[in-house]
Amino acid sequence: MSTLAQFLSNDSNIDRQIVDYMTKTVQLESLSDFANFWTSADYERGVQNDIVTQVPGFQDASRPASRVQIARLRAAWKKAQDQSSQAPMGTTTATSAGGPVGMGWTSPTVTSTNLDGLWAAMVYKARNPQKFMDVSNVTVVDRPGFIARSMTINPNGKRSEEHIYANEKTGEMIYRQVDPDTKQETEDERVIAVKENPLRMEFFHRHVSDGYRVYWQAPVGSVQGMVQELINYAASNMGKGDAVGLGVRSEAITGVSHDALWRSIMSSIRDPARFYPCSGVSIVERQGFVQRTLTANGQPYDENIYDDEQSSTIVFRKLVNGSETDVERVVVLRTNPLQIEFHMRNKADGFRVDWNMPKSAALSSVDAFVREARRMEGATPTTIGYGITSDPIRDVTFDHLFAATELAIKEPWRVIAVDQSSCQVQDCAGFLTRKMRLSATGEMVTERITISEEKGEVTYNKCDASGRPSDVERVLAIRNPLRLEFYERSARSGMRVNWTAPYSMARDTFSNIVQIAKKIKSNSSDTIGFGVASKPLSAGQDSLWKAMLFAMRNPADAGLKVTNVNVRDMSGFMQRSMCIVDKPGSPTVTDNVRVIESSQEITYRPVINGMESGEERVFALRTDPMRFEMFCRNSGDGMRMDWSAPRSLALPVFDSALAVAQRSGGGVSASATGASVGMGWTSPAVTTCSSDGLWAAMVYKARNPQKFMDVSNVTVADRQGFIARGMTITPTGKRVEEHIYANERTGEMVYRLVDASTKQETDDERVMALRDGPLRIEFFHRHKSDGYRAYWQAPVDTVQKMIQELVDYASKNQGQGAEVGLGVRSAEIKGVSHDSMWRSMMESIREPARFFPCSGVSIQEKQGYIQRTLTANGETYTENIYDDEASCEIVYRKLSNGAETDLERVVALRTHPLQVEFHLRNKNDGFRVQWNMSKSVSLSAADAFVREAKRMDSVPPTVIGYGITSDPVRDVSYDDLFAAAQLSVKEPWRAINVDQGSVDVQECTGYVQRKMTLRASGERVTERVIINEEMGEIRYNKCDSYGTPGDVERVLSIHTPLRIEFYERSARSGLRVHWKAPYQMAQDTFSNLVKVAKGMTSSSGATVGFGLASKPLDGMSQDAVWRAMLTAMRDPVGAGMKVDSVRVQDMSGYMQRSMRLLEKPGSPTVTDNIRVMEGAREILYRPVKNGQESEEERVFALRTEPLRFEMFCRHARDKMRFDWTAPRAVAISVFDSTAAVARRM
């Protein structure tokens, strides 16, 4: 075995098939060859695409086995790089001692008061600092937009001046110091922010000019004390007294809609007598408000009234001698729950002030608002009144609805009864002028129309004969949740008025606009662009895929309008030329066609003048829902391109492939006699046996063909990786030799004929594949070299007969006999968890006496396995034991004269349902063999596993033992939890009890080295930490005083369904060991990590931090959003981002983009190298400075369940996320722009 093969197999635990492919097919000879095969920028993608997915059994990169091998091979490459270069790399990150606020500090969840109470306490503190701090000589003055506060700090006698801003909508109280000499505000501002879900407070510093946070040296202790005083004040004063004070809310309002309640409140402005006794009401429209005079309780008064439709707020300002007073009364309609809030504030600075009106007086108006709202909803109206809202709108998006509204402006006959020929629309500065003749009256109407897409509003103002707008305007607004609202308001004050237009007119308008929106949704653009998808397909996945393959080779037979089709199989691809009848001149085109079976994609690269193009067109089959997709991408870097081909090119291809699938199950499966297998044939659903029984039957058939076919002189020999089978076909006397490969994890049995003269395998292979959901068998031919299917002339009748014999055999023999045979499963295991079962099985390796009578147990740790010797039933034997955590399998290989025998016993934990399976297989070729051990013996072992697992579950443990799993984790995502775990690597005090000032973290090649002092013992600990995001694992290995890693490593693993597991294992063998650390320590670690994760989920600080996710992307498909991300990447200007001078260049394996940022001071030009990870739906941006690519990469990712964007920053080398100080606004604007692109697609 070569040094490289030994390194890969023994040191890195790489599968032998992958090692063979690397050393024999790729012909890597040395460690240096391997280390230099890729660059550091390309190795991650290269390991997956160039090596692992090229090996049979690992072609699907999403399967657990493939992910494990990819992760191991990546780690091996890093290790090879390290050993080849011996170049020390890494940067040091140190934490500050003393517990400063730093980039921000968040309080624990506040449970003793509510948000209103907390905000009121913050307002009170701003005006009365002496109640909370040791200060004197306090002066507070209201200024426009802020309060100016000065005070003397008693301990040092220093005078402090500051301006305080209150932004109630964002929940922020902002303090800016004032320079005593210049009287100008300084650049820094302190922020106290109130956050919800859960209720908490956050403190941080930031720059006034750019909004970026800065490090704050203030000790956390002083901040904590101030927070507690605020909370105590809020808790003791919340709801106290009979006066409104700093604010009061009604009880939750039920039985009436938000829209009806808001219209009721609006009607109270113009019709106050409907709500309380008053007289002498007069209203004058002013610019931006109405001025109202009335008499109530014998007192006349005037007031100016303002409204804000967006925040559902009404503001009342009393007039004294014709001028507004300094305070304003505020009525706000709140949601979730629906409530009405009343408070008073200073109109100049927005700070709430104490209102001595009785609560009962304020809240009595709530009953009147609710009563009127219920009246509005209770009777079908005849007029629009103060507004009408449509029913909730489904099946279209906001964009479709707004596009329909805009179309109706230019083509009003689509919505209302007008003479189409009379319509004229003219673009003017800031508005449209529209003229049209009403069909009902013949009146010629001129109106001015203003569109505000930001607000989701269109306003219509009817003009007089001279073209001057009138005093009222109609508003058509689009609301969320998606619905339309129609109302009329004063053009001068902006306040709603009672609209006497017929109710039915508005309803008809709603219906017509929704119909247009649905048509827009169904009629997309004329070009394919960044991709086009078919409608959901009702045919089966197998038949659709086979239909695509059939149409690829036989486009004319599939119904496409082509002639003179010529197909040639080349090495690794197929070359196809054909004449396109529909195109002018009927040109002949040539393509190199490749099939990617694992992702069910067919790629077409045009051949022009004998040269293959760098562009490839992709015809793909997608699931959830089942559909076709077509797009174009750069074959070098995999980035999608804007394809200007007409959509009409893609749609006939979709229709033809679907027709083939519907006709014949993919053009290949037919019941008629004489039909060929073609591109594949799938059996009906198998219901009389299980997948285990069927697989056992396939194995039995491979070893005993004479039981199923008319053959004789059968020879079967186990070889490395396959069995070699020879037999004579009795009817013809012909001798056939073949190699048979079994891949149990992919469910494939592969047969390759061997040339009788050369003894070499031919390029064709027959595949019998076991499929689940429903259980069935598929047959097809494919090329061994490139994995492409080939047309198989074998008659379907023969295949059907053989399938039926297999099913009959499986049904008859499944569960028969007293021996294990080719495998046996336990009955479904209930009353115990999967994790406890697996830990019980792991425990049985090191402590077998707990499970069966034995003695003399000794265990040695080996590289990748353990060697165990014991005596049982009077026999002493030694065996090598391997485990695979990902697939929950344990393999036992007995030793004879120090060498492993050819057979291995397999014990596997299966799920859905939970069962333990036992079987015996040949270690060389992976084929199961007959095991004559009694079923009762193996199943008694399952009983022992269950008994121990139940004991583990029933008794609260004192130590971690073979592992501990958290309760199911809710309210956070996998991403949040893994980010929290990564944060705790660099900031361990968040999870465990260590001295924060002692922590030192250093980036090394492939791992992180961490030093810290444990508070409990004072011990100084050094450990090596490795993060594996693909496997969801973080490994911690404690080092000795020389920095050498220990023999055991702790593993923190995140599983799905979401939960955390903690265990210890041998660093050499990889098998779990019994960990004597306290159980409570693990529980505390889990709790702390979940708290950190929840903090990340609910945090809405000013920076991106360890990652930021968008809101769920409702009403959009995953395909459309991904295409939008690719579009925005290549064309940020077209996506609406504020940049210019964009330059894009396709490089080998990535794209380089430079552009000017218009919103940043100085409008700098930035350059990034961009890589697209299509499988992970991630786009990676690495900044380029002075021609050098940074080691930091920004990740823009598309996540599912729910569909959302995520953005974060991580190291390119070790993949560890770090705290990104970029403003959240940067990410949110990217999210919004990209979502808008997706909606337009």
Side-chain angles (χ1 to χ4, degrees), residues 364-381:
S364 65
S365 62
V366 173
D367 297 334
F369 294 145
V370 172
R371 183 178 63 249
E372 178 64 11
R374 286 181 175 153
R375 186 196 65 77
M376 289 177 173
E377 289 192 320
T380 303

Side-chain angles (χ1 to χ4, degrees), residues 907-945:
V907 182
L909 183 61
R910 306 300 189 197
T911 57
H912 307 298
L914 189 63
Q915 296 172 297
V916 181
E917 183 186 7
F918 303 83
H919 61 265
L920 190 67
R921 67 186 176 205
N922 187 289
K923 75 169 187 180
N924 294 313
D925 55 34
F927 273 82
R928 294 192 183 192
V929 296
Q930 192 76 16
W931 193 2
N932 58 10
M933 185 178 75
S934 169
K935 284 180 185 175
S936 60
V937 173
S938 62
L939 294 178
S940 66
D943 294 337
F945 295 148

Side-chain angles (χ1 to χ4, degrees), residues 955-964 1074-1082:
V955 179
T958 56
V959 297
I960 295 174
Y962 284 89
I964 174 178
H1074 189 268
W1075 191 6
K1076 296 178 181 177
Y1079 171 85
Q1080 191 58 47
M1081 180 273 287

Side-chain angles (χ1 to χ4, degrees), residues 601-650:
E601 291 182 350
I602 304 174
T603 65
Y604 300 78
R605 296 184 190 169
V607 178
I608 302 170
N609 299 324
M611 298 296 293
E612 184 179 84
S613 170
E615 298 178 4
E616 64 183 15
R617 305 186 311 275
V618 182
F619 182 27
L621 181 62
R622 306 299 191 203
T623 56
D624 298 323
M626 193 72 65
R627 64 203 184 280
F628 296 127
E629 187 186 16
M630 192 175 285
F631 58 91
C632 188
R633 68 185 173 204
N634 185 297
S635 62
D637 58 22
M639 295 197 182
R640 294 199 188 192
M641 308 167 67
D642 192 353
W643 192 6
S644 58
R647 289 170 65 90
S648 56
L649 181 147

